[in-house]
Amino acid sequence: MDGYKHIEHCCGSYIASHYRNPVEIGVGNNPEAARCVHEAGIRVRATDIRACQLPPWLPFACDDIFSPDLSCYAGADVLYAVRPAEEMIPPLIALAERLDCDLVVYHLGFESYGTGGTVIDCGVPLHCYYRRGQNPSKSVD
């Protein structure tokens, strides 16, 4: 397996083995990571700012991460993005904090944001910028 399919396979396999309610942000017309999650028997959802041509098994919503509709992400335990634009990272972190779910990102090349978060090696470097429970006000009733 080479090129982007290898990257998406590694990302999707990691998500499938660690989460039960993932949402891919910025899927575009490349559902390969979501396909890996789906084929592992896990329901995955996707969003993008533009309408995309996606398979019928992938629930999709048009959403702008800079002004997100929280209903698109209800119940998510992880948000993940494959090669997002760097300017998407701050609103992704803010959304993950608001939802109190993990945020996992695969960057293009050697890009990263801020300190780079926690790097996860799953065959490709993933950056975890937020972990559930990091915001103590969310975990205390």
Side-chain angles (χ1 to χ4, degrees), residues 20-72:
R20 292 289 159 249
N21 198 350
V23 179
E24 181 170 342
I25 311 279
V27 68
N29 292 314
N30 182 9
E32 294 306 313
R35 182 180 314 281
C36 289
V37 176
H38 171 75
E39 289 176 354
I42 297 167
R43 181 181 178 268
V44 59
R45 297 172 282 162
T47 68
D48 202 291
I49 195 165
R50 293 177 189 86
C52 302
Q53 297 295 318
L54 297 168
W57 53 259
L58 183 56
F60 173 79
C62 274
D63 191 52
D64 181 353
I65 195 67
F66 291 91
S67 180
D69 174 353
L70 296 181
S71 68
C72 295

Side-chain angles (χ1 to χ4, degrees), residues 1-138:
M1 196 176 300
D2 60 19
Y4 79 89
K5 294 211 185 244
H6 171 73
I7 292 164
E8 277 76 357
H9 177 75
C10 290
C11 295
S13 294
Y14 177 82
I15 296 298
S17 66
H18 290 83
Y19 300 99
R20 292 289 159 249
N21 198 350
V23 179
E24 181 170 342
I25 311 279
V27 68
N29 292 314
N30 182 9
E32 294 306 313
R35 182 180 314 281
C36 289
V37 176
H38 171 75
E39 289 176 354
I42 297 167
R43 181 181 178 268
V44 59
R45 297 172 282 162
T47 68
D48 202 291
I49 195 165
R50 293 177 189 86
C52 302
Q53 297 295 318
L54 297 168
W57 53 259
L58 183 56
F60 173 79
C62 274
D63 191 52
D64 181 353
I65 195 67
F66 291 91
S67 180
D69 174 353
L70 296 181
S71 68
C72 295
Y73 311 95
D77 58 355
V78 66
L79 304 176
Y80 73 96
V82 179
R83 297 182 204 89
E86 188 175 343
E87 63 270 13
M88 289 174 64
I89 304 303
L92 284 169
I93 293 169
L95 181 58
E97 289 174 347
R98 196 163 175 191
L99 299 169
D100 196 30
C101 67
D102 290 5
L103 172 62
V104 177
V105 174
Y106 173 80
H107 289 286
L108 183 62
F110 293 99
E111 292 177 356
S112 66
Y113 176 79
T115 62
T118 302
V119 178
I120 301 160
D121 183 0
C122 66
V124 297
L126 298 180
H127 297 259
C128 183
Y129 287 106
Y130 184 81
R131 289 252 185 231
R132 288 173 290 201
Q134 272 185 233
N135 186 346
S137 65
K138 294 276 186 180

